[in-house]
Amino acid sequence: MAAIDTALKDAMNIEGAIGVALVDYSSGMTLGVAGGSAELDLTVAAAGNTDVVRAKMRTLEMLNIADGIEDILITLDTQYHLIRPLGTRGGKGLFLYLALSKSRANLGMARHQLRMIESSIEI
């Protein structure tokens, strides 16, 4: 569990981070959460985003596209929501969900840093 906590803390150090969660998309349950706010309940948001991940995976399957999902970006008026399914062997069925302040975040750098954090997670 320490590796998950470390990964979540590292994600909160990404410029503009509001909150982060590690989520099981088969159940919608969070394995860990850091940050968040009164306006952003990460547990509720993470559970809701499992539907986004499942829908995209079903769509890829229906289209016979063998590619995996690198990440999914949802752009709001004031925030970026970045969803990154884990590609590591122990991370199958999990995704990182990162909410960023649009005015403070560098999206390219955040994607790069989240990719690095993903590669370091040990489940």
Side-chain angles (χ1 to χ4, degrees):
M1 190 69 162
I4 292 172
D5 290 339
T6 300
L8 295 174
K9 287 177 187 173
D10 289 346
M12 284 304 297
N13 286 325
I14 295 173
E15 187 68 33
I18 299 169
V20 63
L22 180 63
V23 187
D24 178 335
Y25 64 76
S26 60
S27 68
M29 299 295 293
T30 57
L31 279 73
V33 174
S37 67
E39 297 82 31
L40 181 62
D41 182 331
L42 284 169
T43 304
V44 172
N49 280 309
T50 60
D51 292 333
V52 173
V53 173
R54 287 188 211 140
K56 190 60 187 175
M57 289 186 167
R58 276 193 312 273
T59 302
L60 291 174
E61 185 178 318
M62 291 184 326
L63 294 171
N64 289 322
I65 297 174
D67 288 348
I69 298 170
E70 184 174 338
D71 60 39
I72 300 168
L73 172 64
I74 300 169
T75 305
L76 305 178
D77 290 339
T78 62
Q79 297 176 3
Y80 294 122
H81 290 214
L82 195 54
I83 300 167
R84 183 168 184 87
L86 299 189
T88 57
R89 193 171 9 150
K92 285 286 190 202
L94 305 177
F95 68 89
L96 281 167
Y97 167 63
L98 176 65
L100 299 159
S101 168
K102 201 172 177 182
S103 64
R104 294 184 7 244
N106 175 323
L107 185 56
M109 185 58 78
R111 289 181 72 216
H112 171 72
Q113 290 173 297
L114 200 57
R115 183 173 37 253
M116 300 306 292
I117 291 167
E118 173 205 359
S119 68
S120 71
I121 292 178
E122 295 177 19
I123 306 294

